[in-house]
Amino acid sequence: QVQLVESGGGLVQAGGSLRLSCAASGSIFSINAMGWYRQVPGKQRELVAVMINGVSTNYADSVKGRFTSSRDNAKNTVYLQMNSLKPEDTAVYYCYADGYIYSYSGTSGKSFSSWGQGTQVTVSS
């Protein structure tokens, strides 16, 4: 019902920058949380940066001061600006969003939570 499409991953040298984008589409009434997680093979998916109600952002300690998340509410799009990238930032980055979809009456309906397909970020040393 709600689809998330990511873009912007790739290969970059250590110290470089990348910007990820994630656009949500579907019958979205409101978005509560929207942001980014990452996962490397053999490890659990971990939070990178998630914006709550478009106001506050929770960042992983490992990315504070280097990564910045922003959101365009009109476009239901979230961005992740990643600076000073390190080899340990290499992972598949997943977009996440939750909130509510429209009901048939045009008001808030059922809740949703969705994941994107993931985009690879590789940082070479």
Side-chain angles (χ1 to χ4, degrees):
Q1 291 173 321
V2 176
Q3 295 79 41
L4 303 179
V5 178
E6 302 129 334
S7 61
L11 172 65
V12 65
Q13 288 187 331
S17 299
L18 282 174
R19 188 186 192 216
L20 306 183
S21 300
C22 171
S25 62
S27 185
I28 301 170
F29 180 83
S30 64
I31 294 177
N32 292 338
M34 191 170 187
W36 301 91
Y37 288 73
R38 67 187 180 188
Q39 188 170 24
V40 297
K43 292 190 176 181
Q44 286 190 328
R45 193 170 296 186
E46 64 174 6
L47 180 146
V48 177
V50 175
M51 297 187 74
I52 307 299
N53 293 325
V55 177
S56 62
T57 302
N58 295 328
Y59 290 98
D61 288 342
S62 60
V63 307
K64 285 180 181 177
R66 300 188 298 122
F67 292 10
T68 303
S69 181
S70 60
R71 185 171 147 186
D72 185 332
N73 292 324
K75 297 181 179 179
N76 285 331
T77 299
V78 67
Y79 305 94
L80 184 67
Q81 178 66 43
M82 304 184 293
N83 299 326
S84 303
L85 282 160
K86 304 175 180 180
E88 51 264 43
D89 294 318
T90 296
V92 177
Y93 283 69
Y94 294 91
C95 182
Y96 169 82
D98 64 46
Y100 295 90
I101 60 173
Y102 277 100
S103 69
Y104 289 115
S105 62
T107 59
S108 177
K110 294 181 180 179
S111 63
F112 77 89
S113 63
S114 298
W115 291 93
Q117 79 283 1
T119 184
Q120 177 71 45
V121 171
T122 303
V123 184
S124 63
S125 58

